[in-house]
Amino acid sequence: MTRHPLFGLALAGIGALTLTPDALFMRLSGMGGYQMVAWRGLLMGAVMLVLWALTSKARRRDLAVLASGYGILILLCQYFNATLFSLGIAHAPVSIVLFAVATVPVFAAVFARLILNQPTRPATWVTIAAVMAGIALAVFGGDHAEVGLDRAALLGALAGLGVAMVLALNFVILRAQPQIPILLVIGLGALMAGATGAVITGGSAMLLGQVWAIAVCGLVILPISFFSLSLASRYTHASNVSLLLLLETVLGPLWVWIGIGEAPTALMLVGGTVVVVSLAIYLWFTGVRVTKRAAQVQT
């Protein structure tokens, strides 16, 4: 099944859809930035490291790869991803952070060109432009559209751009270096971020808020989504994984609407429709193209 041309896209789709309610549970937790970093990182890291210990058949080789330059780079990517996203959501308008994170496909295309010398098809750039336009409508189409870009919003945008860069770099490197043990490096990166957050938060403040809500993120949503997305990058282009990841930007607010009653505006619905339709068209033609290519190879 892993040889099927659409396997990587399906895996990325599962990961992206699993990630979409993440922001809802973060809001339900009522926690501060570093407190969320602590819980999310420690729980996610523990789950992924346990799974690595149970499933790895070459632990010594995995540890040797971890000590390599690429292994350390992936670890750092996860560390900054786990830290910056929680801090951005906690201290800035969600729309600003999500719009900045939506630039993942652009960074993925750039890194793929620099690291893999992998050309990006014109159709991908057209889809990226359409998706970005739809996300602009979705995240800036609410009452927050008139909010000025104050210091908090600027920091949120920078945090979101940082997340986009490290996610894109993560996807590209994992495609270029298939020997990197995903569970180990991402688990350790998350654990390091969680430990940092716990030290800054302090033991007395760790139990404030709704622990169950953040536990859902750390034990279920994050391990499934990031493992699926990272593994998918080995079977399809990083730009494809990045495009599917953008579903969180549009579907995330819908989960918030269902969960706590924040209804999306008309422009948010229009923007979401643009994103979903653009992705559907792109993935449809990508599936047709790769299926035809596979059929030609077999004949």
Short mmCIF file of all heavy atoms in Angstrom, two decimals, residues 97-159:
data_model
loop_
_atom_site.label_atom_id
_atom_site.label_comp_id
_atom_site.label_asym_id
_atom_site.label_seq_id
_atom_site.Cartn_x
_atom_site.Cartn_y
_atom_site.Cartn_z
N VAL A 97 -1.82 34.57 13.79
CA VAL A 97 -0.92 33.42 13.89
C VAL A 97 -1.22 32.41 12.79
O VAL A 97 -0.31 31.92 12.11
CB VAL A 97 -1.05 32.74 15.27
CG1 VAL A 97 -0.12 31.54 15.37
CG2 VAL A 97 -0.74 33.74 16.39
N LEU A 98 -2.50 32.10 12.57
CA LEU A 98 -2.87 31.10 11.57
C LEU A 98 -2.51 31.56 10.17
O LEU A 98 -2.10 30.75 9.33
CB LEU A 98 -4.36 30.79 11.67
CG LEU A 98 -4.80 30.03 12.92
CD1 LEU A 98 -6.31 29.82 12.91
CD2 LEU A 98 -4.09 28.70 13.03
N PHE A 99 -2.69 32.83 9.89
CA PHE A 99 -2.34 33.32 8.56
C PHE A 99 -0.84 33.20 8.32
O PHE A 99 -0.40 32.84 7.23
CB PHE A 99 -2.78 34.78 8.39
CG PHE A 99 -2.56 35.29 7.00
CD1 PHE A 99 -3.35 34.86 5.95
CD2 PHE A 99 -1.55 36.21 6.74
CE1 PHE A 99 -3.13 35.33 4.67
CE2 PHE A 99 -1.35 36.69 5.46
CZ PHE A 99 -2.14 36.24 4.41
N ALA A 100 -0.05 33.48 9.34
CA ALA A 100 1.40 33.35 9.20
C ALA A 100 1.80 31.88 9.03
O ALA A 100 2.66 31.55 8.20
CB ALA A 100 2.10 33.94 10.42
N VAL A 101 1.17 30.98 9.79
CA VAL A 101 1.47 29.55 9.66
C VAL A 101 1.10 29.04 8.28
O VAL A 101 1.71 28.09 7.75
CB VAL A 101 0.73 28.74 10.75
CG1 VAL A 101 0.89 27.24 10.53
CG2 VAL A 101 1.25 29.11 12.13
N ALA A 102 0.12 29.69 7.65
CA ALA A 102 -0.34 29.27 6.33
C ALA A 102 0.71 29.43 5.25
O ALA A 102 0.52 28.96 4.12
CB ALA A 102 -1.60 30.05 5.94
N THR A 103 1.83 30.08 5.56
CA THR A 103 2.90 30.23 4.57
C THR A 103 3.79 28.99 4.48
O THR A 103 4.80 29.01 3.77
CB THR A 103 3.77 31.46 4.90
OG1 THR A 103 4.35 31.29 6.21
CG2 THR A 103 2.94 32.73 4.89
N VAL A 104 3.43 27.91 5.18
CA VAL A 104 4.22 26.67 5.13
C VAL A 104 4.50 26.22 3.69
O VAL A 104 5.65 25.87 3.37
CB VAL A 104 3.51 25.55 5.92
CG1 VAL A 104 4.19 24.20 5.66
CG2 VAL A 104 3.55 25.84 7.40
N PRO A 105 3.51 26.18 2.77
CA PRO A 105 3.81 25.71 1.41
C PRO A 105 4.88 26.53 0.71
O PRO A 105 5.67 26.00 -0.07
CB PRO A 105 2.46 25.84 0.69
CG PRO A 105 1.45 25.83 1.76
CD PRO A 105 2.09 26.52 2.93
N VAL A 106 4.91 27.84 0.96
CA VAL A 106 5.90 28.68 0.32
C VAL A 106 7.30 28.31 0.81
O VAL A 106 8.23 28.12 0.02
CB VAL A 106 5.62 30.17 0.60
CG1 VAL A 106 6.70 31.04 -0.01
CG2 VAL A 106 4.24 30.56 0.07
N PHE A 107 7.45 28.18 2.14
CA PHE A 107 8.75 27.80 2.69
C PHE A 107 9.12 26.38 2.25
O PHE A 107 10.30 26.10 1.99
CB PHE A 107 8.72 27.88 4.22
CG PHE A 107 8.74 29.28 4.75
CD1 PHE A 107 7.64 29.81 5.40
CD2 PHE A 107 9.86 30.08 4.61
CE1 PHE A 107 7.65 31.10 5.89
CE2 PHE A 107 9.88 31.36 5.09
CZ PHE A 107 8.78 31.89 5.74
N ALA A 108 8.14 25.48 2.16
CA ALA A 108 8.42 24.11 1.73
C ALA A 108 8.94 24.09 0.30
O ALA A 108 9.89 23.35 -0.02
CB ALA A 108 7.16 23.25 1.85
N ALA A 109 8.33 24.89 -0.57
CA ALA A 109 8.79 24.95 -1.95
C ALA A 109 10.21 25.50 -2.03
O ALA A 109 11.04 25.01 -2.81
CB ALA A 109 7.84 25.81 -2.78
N VAL A 110 10.50 26.52 -1.23
CA VAL A 110 11.84 27.11 -1.23
C VAL A 110 12.88 26.12 -0.70
O VAL A 110 13.94 25.91 -1.31
CB VAL A 110 11.86 28.40 -0.37
CG1 VAL A 110 13.29 28.90 -0.20
CG2 VAL A 110 11.00 29.48 -1.03
N PHE A 111 12.58 25.47 0.43
CA PHE A 111 13.53 24.51 1.01
C PHE A 111 13.72 23.29 0.10
O PHE A 111 14.82 22.74 0.02
CB PHE A 111 13.06 24.06 2.40
CG PHE A 111 13.21 25.12 3.46
CD1 PHE A 111 12.20 25.34 4.39
CD2 PHE A 111 14.36 25.90 3.53
CE1 PHE A 111 12.34 26.31 5.37
CE2 PHE A 111 14.50 26.87 4.50
CZ PHE A 111 13.49 27.08 5.43
N ALA A 112 12.64 22.85 -0.55
CA ALA A 112 12.74 21.71 -1.46
C ALA A 112 13.66 22.05 -2.62
O ALA A 112 14.43 21.20 -3.10
CB ALA A 112 11.37 21.30 -1.97
N ARG A 113 13.59 23.29 -3.07
CA ARG A 113 14.46 23.73 -4.16
C ARG A 113 15.92 23.79 -3.70
O ARG A 113 16.84 23.37 -4.40
CB ARG A 113 14.01 25.11 -4.65
CG ARG A 113 14.82 25.66 -5.81
CD ARG A 113 14.60 24.84 -7.07
NE ARG A 113 15.30 25.40 -8.21
CZ ARG A 113 15.30 24.85 -9.41
NH1 ARG A 113 14.65 23.72 -9.63
NH2 ARG A 113 15.97 25.42 -10.40
N LEU A 114 16.13 24.30 -2.47
CA LEU A 114 17.49 24.48 -1.97
C LEU A 114 18.14 23.17 -1.54
O LEU A 114 19.33 22.94 -1.79
CB LEU A 114 17.47 25.45 -0.77
CG LEU A 114 17.09 26.90 -1.07
CD1 LEU A 114 17.00 27.69 0.21
CD2 LEU A 114 18.10 27.54 -2.02
N ILE A 115 17.36 22.28 -0.89
CA ILE A 115 17.92 21.06 -0.32
C ILE A 115 17.84 19.89 -1.29
O ILE A 115 18.79 19.12 -1.43
CB ILE A 115 17.19 20.70 0.99
CG1 ILE A 115 17.42 21.82 2.03
CG2 ILE A 115 17.68 19.36 1.55
CD1 ILE A 115 16.64 21.63 3.32
N LEU A 116 16.71 19.74 -1.97
CA LEU A 116 16.50 18.58 -2.85
C LEU A 116 16.67 18.90 -4.32
O LEU A 116 16.61 17.99 -5.16
CB LEU A 116 15.09 18.02 -2.62
CG LEU A 116 14.72 17.59 -1.20
CD1 LEU A 116 13.28 17.11 -1.16
CD2 LEU A 116 15.67 16.50 -0.72
N ASN A 117 16.85 20.19 -4.64
CA ASN A 117 16.89 20.63 -6.04
C ASN A 117 15.64 20.15 -6.77
O ASN A 117 15.68 19.70 -7.91
CB ASN A 117 18.15 20.12 -6.74
CG ASN A 117 18.41 20.86 -8.05
OD1 ASN A 117 18.04 22.03 -8.19
ND2 ASN A 117 19.04 20.18 -9.00
N GLN A 118 14.52 20.24 -6.07
CA GLN A 118 13.25 19.71 -6.56
C GLN A 118 12.40 20.86 -7.11
O GLN A 118 11.97 21.73 -6.36
CB GLN A 118 12.54 19.03 -5.40
CG GLN A 118 11.27 18.29 -5.76
CD GLN A 118 10.68 17.62 -4.53
OE1 GLN A 118 9.91 18.23 -3.78
NE2 GLN A 118 11.06 16.38 -4.29
N PRO A 119 12.14 20.86 -8.40
CA PRO A 119 11.35 21.96 -8.97
C PRO A 119 9.91 21.91 -8.50
O PRO A 119 9.36 20.83 -8.24
CB PRO A 119 11.43 21.70 -10.49
CG PRO A 119 11.69 20.24 -10.61
CD PRO A 119 12.53 19.87 -9.41
N THR A 120 9.30 23.06 -8.36
CA THR A 120 7.89 23.16 -7.97
C THR A 120 7.06 23.47 -9.20
O THR A 120 7.31 24.45 -9.90
CB THR A 120 7.70 24.27 -6.92
OG1 THR A 120 8.52 24.00 -5.80
CG2 THR A 120 6.26 24.34 -6.48
N ARG A 121 6.09 22.62 -9.47
CA ARG A 121 5.27 22.78 -10.67
C ARG A 121 4.44 24.07 -10.61
O ARG A 121 4.02 24.48 -9.53
CB ARG A 121 4.34 21.58 -10.84
CG ARG A 121 5.06 20.27 -11.07
CD ARG A 121 4.12 19.11 -11.34
NE ARG A 121 3.20 18.90 -10.22
CZ ARG A 121 1.89 19.07 -10.27
NH1 ARG A 121 1.32 19.48 -11.39
NH2 ARG A 121 1.13 18.84 -9.23
N PRO A 122 4.19 24.69 -11.76
CA PRO A 122 3.37 25.90 -11.78
C PRO A 122 2.01 25.70 -11.14
O PRO A 122 1.48 26.62 -10.48
CB PRO A 122 3.23 26.20 -13.29
CG PRO A 122 4.46 25.60 -13.90
CD PRO A 122 4.75 24.37 -13.09
N ALA A 123 1.42 24.52 -11.30
CA ALA A 123 0.10 24.25 -10.69
C ALA A 123 0.16 24.38 -9.18
O ALA A 123 -0.81 24.81 -8.55
CB ALA A 123 -0.38 22.86 -11.09
N THR A 124 1.30 24.00 -8.59
CA THR A 124 1.44 24.12 -7.14
C THR A 124 1.44 25.57 -6.72
O THR A 124 0.80 25.96 -5.72
CB THR A 124 2.74 23.43 -6.67
OG1 THR A 124 2.70 22.06 -7.04
CG2 THR A 124 2.90 23.55 -5.16
N TRP A 125 2.16 26.41 -7.45
CA TRP A 125 2.21 27.84 -7.11
C TRP A 125 0.83 28.49 -7.28
O TRP A 125 0.43 29.33 -6.47
CB TRP A 125 3.23 28.56 -7.98
CG TRP A 125 4.65 28.24 -7.65
CD1 TRP A 125 5.55 27.54 -8.41
CD2 TRP A 125 5.35 28.60 -6.45
NE1 TRP A 125 6.74 27.44 -7.75
CE2 TRP A 125 6.66 28.08 -6.56
CE3 TRP A 125 4.99 29.29 -5.30
CZ2 TRP A 125 7.61 28.25 -5.56
CZ3 TRP A 125 5.93 29.46 -4.30
CH2 TRP A 125 7.22 28.94 -4.43
N VAL A 126 0.10 28.10 -8.33
CA VAL A 126 -1.25 28.64 -8.53
C VAL A 126 -2.15 28.23 -7.37
O VAL A 126 -2.92 29.05 -6.83
CB VAL A 126 -1.83 28.15 -9.87
CG1 VAL A 126 -3.31 28.53 -9.99
CG2 VAL A 126 -1.05 28.72 -11.04
N THR A 127 -2.04 26.97 -6.94
CA THR A 127 -2.85 26.50 -5.82
C THR A 127 -2.48 27.22 -4.54
O THR A 127 -3.35 27.59 -3.74
CB THR A 127 -2.67 24.98 -5.64
OG1 THR A 127 -2.98 24.32 -6.87
CG2 THR A 127 -3.58 24.46 -4.53
N ILE A 128 -1.19 27.42 -4.32
CA ILE A 128 -0.74 28.14 -3.13
C ILE A 128 -1.33 29.55 -3.11
O ILE A 128 -1.82 30.02 -2.08
CB ILE A 128 0.80 28.22 -3.10
CG1 ILE A 128 1.38 26.84 -2.75
CG2 ILE A 128 1.27 29.25 -2.06
CD1 ILE A 128 2.89 26.78 -2.86
N ALA A 129 -1.32 30.23 -4.27
CA ALA A 129 -1.88 31.58 -4.34
C ALA A 129 -3.37 31.57 -4.03
O ALA A 129 -3.87 32.43 -3.28
CB ALA A 129 -1.62 32.17 -5.73
N ALA A 130 -4.11 30.59 -4.58
CA ALA A 130 -5.54 30.51 -4.34
C ALA A 130 -5.83 30.20 -2.87
O ALA A 130 -6.72 30.80 -2.25
CB ALA A 130 -6.16 29.44 -5.24
N VAL A 131 -5.06 29.27 -2.30
CA VAL A 131 -5.25 28.91 -0.90
C VAL A 131 -4.94 30.08 0.01
O VAL A 131 -5.68 30.35 0.98
CB VAL A 131 -4.36 27.69 -0.56
CG1 VAL A 131 -4.28 27.49 0.95
CG2 VAL A 131 -4.92 26.43 -1.22
N MET A 132 -3.87 30.80 -0.27
CA MET A 132 -3.50 31.94 0.56
C MET A 132 -4.59 33.02 0.50
O MET A 132 -4.91 33.65 1.51
CB MET A 132 -2.16 32.52 0.10
CG MET A 132 -0.98 31.59 0.31
SD MET A 132 -0.58 31.34 2.04
CE MET A 132 0.22 32.88 2.41
N ALA A 133 -5.17 33.23 -0.70
CA ALA A 133 -6.25 34.21 -0.83
C ALA A 133 -7.46 33.79 -0.02
O ALA A 133 -8.09 34.60 0.67
CB ALA A 133 -6.62 34.38 -2.30
N GLY A 134 -7.79 32.49 -0.07
CA GLY A 134 -8.92 32.00 0.70
C GLY A 134 -8.69 32.12 2.19
O GLY A 134 -9.59 32.50 2.95
N ILE A 135 -7.47 31.82 2.63
CA ILE A 135 -7.16 31.92 4.05
C ILE A 135 -7.19 33.37 4.52
O ILE A 135 -7.61 33.68 5.63
CB ILE A 135 -5.80 31.27 4.35
CG1 ILE A 135 -5.92 29.75 4.20
CG2 ILE A 135 -5.31 31.61 5.75
CD1 ILE A 135 -4.62 29.01 4.33
N ALA A 136 -6.76 34.28 3.65
CA ALA A 136 -6.82 35.70 3.99
C ALA A 136 -8.26 36.11 4.27
O ALA A 136 -8.54 36.84 5.23
CB ALA A 136 -6.23 36.54 2.86
N LEU A 137 -9.19 35.63 3.45
CA LEU A 137 -10.60 35.93 3.69
C LEU A 137 -11.09 35.27 4.98
O LEU A 137 -11.81 35.87 5.78
CB LEU A 137 -11.44 35.42 2.52
CG LEU A 137 -11.41 36.22 1.22
CD1 LEU A 137 -12.17 35.47 0.13
CD2 LEU A 137 -12.01 37.60 1.42
N ALA A 138 -10.66 34.01 5.19
CA ALA A 138 -11.15 33.26 6.34
C ALA A 138 -10.69 33.84 7.66
O ALA A 138 -11.47 33.95 8.60
CB ALA A 138 -10.70 31.80 6.23
N VAL A 139 -9.42 34.23 7.75
CA VAL A 139 -8.90 34.66 9.04
C VAL A 139 -9.03 36.15 9.28
O VAL A 139 -8.97 36.60 10.43
CB VAL A 139 -7.43 34.22 9.22
CG1 VAL A 139 -7.29 32.73 9.13
CG2 VAL A 139 -6.53 34.89 8.20
N PHE A 140 -9.18 36.93 8.22
CA PHE A 140 -9.34 38.37 8.42
C PHE A 140 -10.76 38.84 8.13
O PHE A 140 -11.03 40.04 8.09
CB PHE A 140 -8.37 39.15 7.53
CG PHE A 140 -6.94 39.00 7.94
CD1 PHE A 140 -6.01 38.43 7.09
CD2 PHE A 140 -6.52 39.43 9.19
CE1 PHE A 140 -4.69 38.28 7.48
CE2 PHE A 140 -5.20 39.29 9.58
CZ PHE A 140 -4.28 38.71 8.73
N GLY A 141 -11.67 37.89 7.94
CA GLY A 141 -13.02 38.27 7.57
C GLY A 141 -13.97 38.48 8.74
O GLY A 141 -15.14 38.74 8.54
N GLY A 142 -13.45 38.40 9.97
CA GLY A 142 -14.32 38.56 11.13
C GLY A 142 -14.26 39.96 11.69
O GLY A 142 -13.75 40.89 11.08
N ASP A 143 -14.76 40.12 12.91
CA ASP A 143 -14.77 41.43 13.56
C ASP A 143 -13.37 41.92 13.88
O ASP A 143 -13.16 43.10 14.13
CB ASP A 143 -15.57 41.36 14.86
CG ASP A 143 -17.04 41.05 14.60
OD1 ASP A 143 -17.51 41.36 13.49
OD2 ASP A 143 -17.70 40.49 15.50
N HIS A 144 -12.40 40.97 13.87
CA HIS A 144 -11.04 41.35 14.19
C HIS A 144 -10.34 42.01 13.03
O HIS A 144 -9.20 42.40 13.12
CB HIS A 144 -10.24 40.10 14.60
CG HIS A 144 -10.38 38.98 13.63
ND1 HIS A 144 -11.31 37.98 13.80
CD2 HIS A 144 -9.75 38.71 12.47
CE1 HIS A 144 -11.22 37.14 12.79
NE2 HIS A 144 -10.28 37.56 11.96
N ALA A 145 -11.01 42.14 11.89
CA ALA A 145 -10.36 42.67 10.69
C ALA A 145 -9.88 44.09 10.87
O ALA A 145 -8.95 44.53 10.21
CB ALA A 145 -11.34 42.60 9.50
N GLU A 146 -10.51 44.84 11.78
CA GLU A 146 -10.13 46.24 11.95
C GLU A 146 -9.12 46.43 13.07
O GLU A 146 -8.75 47.55 13.39
CB GLU A 146 -11.39 47.06 12.23
CG GLU A 146 -12.40 47.04 11.07
CD GLU A 146 -13.64 47.85 11.41
OE1 GLU A 146 -13.72 48.37 12.55
OE2 GLU A 146 -14.52 47.95 10.55
N VAL A 147 -8.71 45.34 13.71
CA VAL A 147 -7.75 45.45 14.80
C VAL A 147 -6.38 45.82 14.25
O VAL A 147 -5.90 45.21 13.31
CB VAL A 147 -7.66 44.12 15.57
CG1 VAL A 147 -6.59 44.20 16.65
CG2 VAL A 147 -9.01 43.79 16.18
N GLY A 148 -5.77 46.80 14.83
CA GLY A 148 -4.47 47.23 14.35
C GLY A 148 -3.39 46.23 14.67
O GLY A 148 -3.52 45.40 15.55
N LEU A 149 -2.30 46.29 13.93
CA LEU A 149 -1.19 45.38 14.13
C LEU A 149 -0.35 45.90 15.27
O LEU A 149 0.68 46.52 15.08
CB LEU A 149 -0.37 45.27 12.84
CG LEU A 149 0.61 44.10 12.77
CD1 LEU A 149 -0.16 42.79 12.79
CD2 LEU A 149 1.46 44.17 11.50
N ASP A 150 -0.78 45.66 16.51
CA ASP A 150 -0.05 46.12 17.68
C ASP A 150 1.10 45.18 17.97
O ASP A 150 1.38 44.24 17.22
CB ASP A 150 -1.00 46.24 18.88
CG ASP A 150 -1.72 44.93 19.19
OD1 ASP A 150 -1.29 43.88 18.67
OD2 ASP A 150 -2.70 44.97 19.94
N ARG A 151 1.77 45.42 19.09
CA ARG A 151 2.96 44.64 19.42
C ARG A 151 2.63 43.16 19.57
O ARG A 151 3.37 42.29 19.09
CB ARG A 151 3.58 45.18 20.72
CG ARG A 151 4.87 44.47 21.12
CD ARG A 151 5.50 45.19 22.31
NE ARG A 151 6.72 44.54 22.73
CZ ARG A 151 6.78 43.56 23.62
NH1 ARG A 151 5.66 43.11 24.17
NH2 ARG A 151 7.93 43.00 23.95
N ALA A 152 1.51 42.83 20.24
CA ALA A 152 1.13 41.44 20.43
C ALA A 152 0.87 40.75 19.09
O ALA A 152 1.29 39.61 18.86
CB ALA A 152 -0.10 41.34 21.32
N ALA A 153 0.17 41.44 18.19
CA ALA A 153 -0.13 40.87 16.88
C ALA A 153 1.14 40.67 16.07
O ALA A 153 1.29 39.67 15.36
CB ALA A 153 -1.10 41.76 16.13
N LEU A 154 2.06 41.61 16.18
CA LEU A 154 3.32 41.49 15.45
C LEU A 154 4.11 40.28 15.96
O LEU A 154 4.65 39.49 15.18
CB LEU A 154 4.15 42.76 15.62
CG LEU A 154 5.52 42.76 14.94
CD1 LEU A 154 5.38 42.54 13.44
CD2 LEU A 154 6.25 44.07 15.22
N LEU A 155 4.16 40.11 17.27
CA LEU A 155 4.84 38.96 17.84
C LEU A 155 4.15 37.66 17.43
O LEU A 155 4.82 36.64 17.17
CB LEU A 155 4.88 39.07 19.37
CG LEU A 155 5.77 40.18 19.93
CD1 LEU A 155 5.64 40.24 21.45
CD2 LEU A 155 7.23 39.96 19.53
N GLY A 156 2.82 37.68 17.36
CA GLY A 156 2.08 36.50 16.92
C GLY A 156 2.40 36.14 15.48
O GLY A 156 2.55 34.97 15.13
N ALA A 157 2.49 37.18 14.63
CA ALA A 157 2.83 36.93 13.23
C ALA A 157 4.23 36.35 13.10
O ALA A 157 4.46 35.43 12.32
CB ALA A 157 2.72 38.23 12.44
N LEU A 158 5.16 36.89 13.87
CA LEU A 158 6.53 36.36 13.84
C LEU A 158 6.57 34.92 14.34
O LEU A 158 7.30 34.08 13.79
CB LEU A 158 7.45 37.25 14.68
CG LEU A 158 7.69 38.67 14.13
CD1 LEU A 158 8.51 39.48 15.12
CD2 LEU A 158 8.39 38.59 12.78
N ALA A 159 5.80 34.63 15.40
CA ALA A 159 5.75 33.25 15.91
C ALA A 159 5.18 32.32 14.85
O ALA A 159 5.69 31.21 14.64
CB ALA A 159 4.90 33.20 17.18
#
